[in-house]
């Protein structure tokens, strides 16, 4: 017991110091802002507007410049250089990425993720959105299905690692999936996480588990926003069930469906936590986002890592362009 | 007085009606159960003694209930993976990272959103669109240069623009990175909200002689409290759950790394001790889940602000 107490004591001291730092930073930040606001608020005359713009917009623009714009330019630059950024290589890093068979596999796996996970999550979310609204206690169902959104992808991976845990069939099973299929009569189920290409799909299940609730909540809001007059009119015209769904509901919420698909796709493309935690990219499960990280930070090849980041960016670009076009359209409508 | 129309609001959508049947209910309940079981399994396992976890599945607990909090004590204070001192410092780091990384971008974004919406200048629309577009830069692209900037400073030729900042072992790089990465979305969402404040109110305040700073503090901030709250929850969960930024800027040491970084290490290490791993994982879920269930309404509103247009 005494050792416990000592450990606990030092842990509390550690916590006090760290929370102190953190609270100090917040207090300092707010304090500085208050002083600047007070001082700038006193300045009058023709400086008022430029001063307001500088003080209010300045910090955000500066941080965005340092944190996103400069790095963006710099990553593109680095992608043309060798591992320690001393020798210009031209397009060699990109050539390497497109011709190495390992990276080709990674790109293929990433593509599979992009095609399957978002469609599955959005499709299931749409189905649930349609089904759940009329049920009693819908708030409970919605909360429970939406809950994984609050869980980190690392947490989700550990949860699912435990579901997929495989043991020799002669031993008592700890993993739920093995237990269920053995109970169903499959005597020698595979070691889930090690079997290719099954494992990639099992990892996608985790992403779908996390994202379906998001799709459901957003799509359900969109369905509720459809004016009842429209569905009523369609029903008077004789449309029912699936037909009504296909020719009225889906067209009315098409924009939202696309937005949800885009959001899930961008998350899928950038997320690397699931693969990192569950397989570390081994056993043929590697994706672009994780490969980029390991090239840069584990194999210390900045050039190749940057080239993969650029490829990732180019892959997101069409999705972004589409979103901006949509946004501009909306602005002109307003 | 106009009579309120009862017909449309009272009647549920015909599509939903068409889809509602006992079969539909069964399906929804089945999905809900499927969605919840993995988390329940995690919780139950984290409460079982080590020997039980190793020798039988968690569902056995319904036959032989045997639960306690020993794993939590062990994983928090004793470690159990190598010679680490347990998860407690990492849990503290998570809180110490998440709170400032929520406050900083929120305040800066609100200020910028106000300036873009009400202190308009030539080119403010262009600035707004550029900021919106920055949402899509993958974080992966920003990591290496930002890390190099922190460790080596910025130079143009032989001129030092920014000296190397020795920020290793502090939270500052993590806060800065999270703040910068959160700004595009935060400015976009808050701008939508702040731009809709009534024009009369703003003009009246200016006529009364209030400066932009005073208007921001005493009118804008209180009025957009709901939007700020929803974004704060969103950002808090996002920072709390982040792994990529944490791994890059905080490494995996007990000084600054958050729970996610340590858990990912634990999950990857061989010789798994499920009772500790599950207890650790559940510890990392408690705070976000509490935030989620307590403030779900605001959280959903924050999500919808970004994804359902109009």
């Amino acid at each position: 017991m005494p050792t416990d107490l000592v450990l606990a004591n030092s842990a509390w001291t550690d916590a006090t110091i760290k929370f102190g730092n953190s609270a100090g930073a917040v207090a300092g930040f707010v304090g500085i802002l208050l002083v600047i606001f007070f001082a700038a608020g006193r300045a009058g005359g023709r400086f008022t507007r430029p001063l307001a713009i500088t003080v209010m917009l300045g910090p955000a623009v500066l941080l965005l410049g340092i944190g996103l714009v400069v790095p963006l330019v710099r990553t593109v630059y680095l992608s043309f250089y060798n591992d320690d950024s001393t020798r210009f290589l031209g397009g060699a890093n990109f050539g390497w990425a497109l011709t190495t068979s390992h990276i080709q596999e990674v790109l293929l796996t990433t593509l599979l993720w992009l095609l399957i996970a978002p469609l599955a999550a959005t499709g299931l979310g749409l189905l649930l959105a349609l089904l759940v609204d009329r049920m009693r206690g819908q708030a409970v169902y919605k909360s429970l299905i939406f809950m994984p959104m609050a869980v980190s992808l690392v947490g989700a991976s550990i949860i699912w690692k435990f579901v997929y845990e495989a043991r020799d069939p002669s031993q008592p099973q700890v993993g739920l999936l093995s237990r269920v299929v053995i109970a169903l009569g499959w005597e020698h189920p595979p070691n889930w996480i090690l079997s290719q290409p099954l494992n990639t799909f099992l990892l996608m299940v985790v992403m779908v588990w996390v994202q379906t609730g998001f799709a459901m909540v957003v799509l359900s809001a969109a369905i509720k926003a459809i004016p009842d007059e429209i569905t009523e009119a369609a029903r008077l015209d004789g449309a029912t069930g699936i037909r009504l769904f296909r020719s009225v509901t889906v067209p009315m919420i098409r924009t939202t469906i696309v937005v949800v698909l885009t959001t899930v796709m961008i998350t899928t493309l950038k997320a690397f936590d699931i693969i990192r935690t569950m397989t570390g990219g081994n056993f043929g499960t590697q994706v672009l986002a994780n490969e980029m990280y390991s090239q840069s930070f584990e194999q210390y090849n900045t050039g190749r890592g940057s080239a993969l980041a650029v490829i990732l960016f180019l892959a997101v670009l069409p999705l972004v362009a589409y979103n901006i076009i949509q946004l501009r359209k909306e602005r002109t409508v307003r | 007085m106009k009579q309120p129309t009862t017909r449309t609001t009272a009647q549920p959508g015909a599509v939903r009606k068409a889809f509602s049947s006992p079969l539909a209910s069964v399906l929804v309940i089945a999905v809900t159960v499927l969605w919840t079981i993995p988390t329940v399994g995690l919780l139950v396992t984290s409460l079982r003694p080590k020997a039980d976890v190793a020798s039988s599945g968690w569902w056995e607990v319904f036959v032989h209930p045997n639960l306690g909090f020993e794993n939590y004590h062990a994983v928090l204070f004793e470690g159990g993976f190598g010679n680490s001192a347990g998860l407690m410092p990492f849990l503290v780091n998570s809180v110490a990272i998440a709170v400032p990384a929520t406050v900083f971008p929120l305040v800066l974004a609100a200020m910028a959103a106000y300036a873009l919406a009400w202190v308009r200048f030539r080119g403010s629309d262009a600035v707004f669109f550029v900021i919106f577009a920055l949402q899509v830069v993958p974080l992966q692209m920003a990591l290496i240069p930002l890390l190099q900037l922190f460790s080596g400073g910025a130079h143009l030729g032989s001129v030092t623009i920014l000296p190397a900042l020795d920020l290793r072992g502090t939270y500052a790089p993590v806060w800065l990175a999270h703040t910068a990465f959160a700004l595009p979305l935060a400015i976009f969402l808050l701008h939508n909200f702040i731009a809709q404040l009534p024009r009369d109110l703003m003009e009246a305040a200016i006529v009364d002689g209030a400066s932009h700073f005073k208007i921001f503090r005493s009118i804008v901030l209180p009025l957009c409290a709901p939007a700020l709250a929803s974004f704060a929850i969103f950002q808090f969960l996002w920072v709390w759950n982040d792994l990529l930024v944490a791994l890059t800027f905080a490494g995996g040491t007990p000084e600054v790394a958050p729970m996610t970084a340590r858990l990912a290490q634990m999950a990857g290490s061989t010789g798994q001790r499920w009772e500790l791993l599950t207890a650790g994982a559940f510890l990392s879920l408690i705070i976000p889940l509490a935030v989620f269930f307590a403030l779900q309404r605001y959280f959903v509103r924050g999500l919808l602000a970004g994804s359902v247009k109009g």
Side-chain angles (χ1 to χ4, degrees):
Chain A
M1 238 19 207
T3 48
D4 275 8
L5 277 175
V6 172
L7 275 168
N9 265 332
S10 73
W12 296 127
T13 321
D14 176 66
T16 318
I17 295 170
K18 284 174 171 173
F19 289 152
N21 286 341
S22 183
V26 172
F29 173 77
V30 173
I32 291 172
L33 277 183
L34 282 179
V35 170
I36 293 176
F37 268 44
F38 183 75
R42 307 232 120 187
R46 61 202 179 88
F47 294 115
T48 322
R49 267 175 52 86
L51 200 63
I53 293 166
T54 316
V55 170
M56 300 187 119
L57 198 54
V61 168
L62 189 75
L63 263 173
L64 282 171
I66 295 176
L68 287 172
V69 179
V70 173
L72 184 79
V73 176
R74 187 129 173 91
T75 301
V76 174
Y77 169 86
L78 288 175
S79 68
F80 294 106
Y81 279 79
N82 66 336
D83 55 356
D84 57 358
S85 328
T86 49
R87 211 174 67 240
F88 182 75
L89 296 180
N93 288 324
F94 293 94
W96 162 83
L98 296 176
T99 52
T100 314
S101 67
H102 169 63
I103 304 296
Q104 285 172 345
E105 264 171 49
V106 169
L107 290 173
L108 189 69
T109 314
T110 310
L111 193 66
L112 272 182
W113 271 86
L114 271 186
L115 290 179
I116 298 172
L119 276 179
T122 311
L124 191 57
L126 180 57
L127 182 68
L128 288 169
L130 285 168
L131 297 183
V132 82
D133 272 341
R134 283 267 291 158
M135 290 177 65
R136 231 190 296 168
Q138 54 154 300
V140 177
Y141 299 114
K142 274 187 174 174
S143 295
L144 287 174
I145 296 174
F146 190 45
M147 184 196 71
M149 272 298 280
V151 173
S152 66
L153 289 182
V154 176
S157 310
I158 293 176
I159 292 176
W160 282 88
K161 233 180 140 153
F162 198 51
V163 173
Y164 295 149
E165 171 79 356
R167 287 192 175 178
D168 192 273
S170 60
Q171 288 181 341
Q173 294 300 311
V174 174
L176 186 61
L177 185 59
S178 295
R179 184 74 197 88
V180 169
V181 298
I182 288 174
L184 291 177
W186 190 356
E187 281 171 23
H188 294 281
N191 192 330
W192 308 107
I193 289 299
L194 302 185
S195 340
Q196 303 177 25
L198 176 68
N199 51 9
T200 291
F201 295 99
L202 292 176
L203 299 189
M204 285 181 200
V205 169
V206 183
M207 185 54 103
V208 173
W209 181 71
V210 171
Q211 296 284 346
T212 297
F214 162 76
M216 174 193 69
V217 166
V218 174
L219 290 171
S220 154
I223 293 173
K224 276 190 179 148
I226 299 177
D228 277 343
E229 286 80 2
I230 292 178
T231 41
E232 286 294 317
R235 243 158 43 104
L236 286 179
D237 288 346
T240 49
I242 304 291
R243 200 176 134 61
L244 190 63
F245 168 70
R246 239 188 27 220
S247 45
V248 179
T249 312
V250 170
M252 291 294 289
I253 60 170
R254 178 165 289 144
T255 327
T256 314
I257 294 179
V258 175
V259 169
V260 170
L261 261 177
T262 318
T263 315
V264 180
M265 266 187 191
I266 291 180
T267 316
T268 308
L269 197 55
K270 293 198 284 191
F272 81 138
D273 313 21
I274 294 179
I275 283 127
R276 195 169 179 78
T277 316
M278 292 187 76
T279 64
N282 300 314
F283 322 119
T285 56
Q286 187 69 306
V287 294
L288 194 52
N290 197 39
E291 181 66 32
M292 180 267 146
Y293 185 87
S294 68
Q295 283 294 339
S296 307
F297 296 101
E298 281 155 14
Q299 305 178 34
Y300 301 106
N301 196 323
T302 313
R304 288 180 173 180
S306 300
L308 292 178
V310 172
I311 294 176
L312 197 62
F313 179 64
L314 293 178
V316 189
L317 213 55
L319 297 176
V320 176
Y322 175 82
N323 267 323
I324 290 184
I325 292 168
Q326 277 312 94
L327 189 72
R328 292 193 66 167
K329 247 190 226 158
E330 259 163 54
R331 284 210 143 189
T332 43
V333 169
R334 270 178 202 163
Chain B
M1 270 297 216
K2 243 173 78 177
Q3 280 295 106
T5 46
T6 48
R7 194 186 59 86
T8 47
T9 44
Q11 211 156 18
V15 177
R16 270 171 271 142
K17 200 184 243 165
F19 270 90
S20 72
S21 66
L23 188 71
S25 302
V26 168
L27 199 92
V28 170
I29 292 170
V31 172
T32 309
V33 169
L34 266 177
W35 249 238
T36 318
I37 279 183
T39 318
V40 172
L42 182 87
L43 174 63
V44 169
T45 308
S46 71
L47 292 168
R48 298 176 78 208
K50 186 181 168 187
D52 288 15
V53 173
S55 64
S56 63
W58 57 267
W59 45 89
E60 300 277 325
V61 86
F62 300 112
V63 192
H64 313 285
N66 183 8
L67 301 170
F69 285 98
E70 291 79 10
N71 298 334
Y72 284 88
H73 186 270
V75 79
L76 267 178
F77 297 108
E78 291 157 25
F81 286 86
N83 48 13
S84 69
L87 273 179
M88 189 64 189
F90 296 95
L91 180 64
V92 172
N93 290 338
S94 276
V95 179
I97 287 172
V99 173
T102 304
V103 176
F104 295 167
L106 200 64
V107 175
L108 294 181
M111 280 161 45
Y114 171 74
L116 287 172
W118 293 101
V119 202
R120 296 179 59 84
F121 52 95
R122 215 188 306 161
S124 56
D125 264 349
V127 173
F128 178 72
F129 269 113
V130 169
I131 291 176
F132 174 78
L134 283 176
Q135 269 183 71
V136 296
V137 176
L139 294 195
Q140 276 91 343
M141 283 196 92
L143 297 177
I144 303 172
L146 206 52
L147 203 64
Q148 288 178 346
L149 181 74
F150 287 144
S151 62
H155 311 275
L156 201 67
S158 57
V159 184
T160 301
I161 301 169
L162 199 79
L165 308 165
D166 191 17
L167 298 173
R168 266 170 307 156
T170 71
Y171 296 124
V174 193
W175 290 337
L176 275 172
H178 275 307
T179 305
F181 296 157
L183 280 176
L185 183 66
I187 293 176
F188 173 67
L189 293 180
L190 292 177
H191 177 275
N192 289 350
F193 195 90
I194 291 175
Q196 282 168 9
L197 294 177
R199 177 165 282 278
D200 301 352
L201 189 70
M202 298 302 201
E203 276 162 2
I206 292 184
V207 169
D208 284 349
S211 73
H212 280 299
F213 301 99
K214 186 152 171 44
I215 296 176
F216 178 73
R217 234 180 335 146
S218 52
I219 299 177
V220 174
L221 278 189
L223 282 182
C224 62
L228 290 174
S230 72
F231 185 77
I233 300 159
F234 201 40
Q235 172 70 2
F236 179 86
L237 289 178
W238 190 74
V239 172
W240 184 276
N241 289 337
D242 157 78
L243 176 65
L244 182 61
V245 175
L247 272 183
T248 315
F249 295 99
T253 58
E255 280 82 44
V256 282
M259 295 274 286
T260 44
R262 180 71 187 123
L263 281 173
Q265 269 176 16
M266 279 165 66
S269 60
T270 48
Q272 267 155 12
R273 294 188 49 193
W274 279 114
E275 81 285 1
L276 293 183
L277 192 57
T278 49
F282 202 79
L283 274 171
S284 82
L285 308 187
I286 289 176
I287 291 183
L289 282 185
V291 168
F292 170 77
F293 280 114
L295 305 169
Q296 209 187 139
R297 281 164 175 270
Y298 297 99
F299 181 51
V300 170
R301 214 174 288 164
L303 274 180
L304 296 185
S307 30
V308 183
K309 313 275 170 80

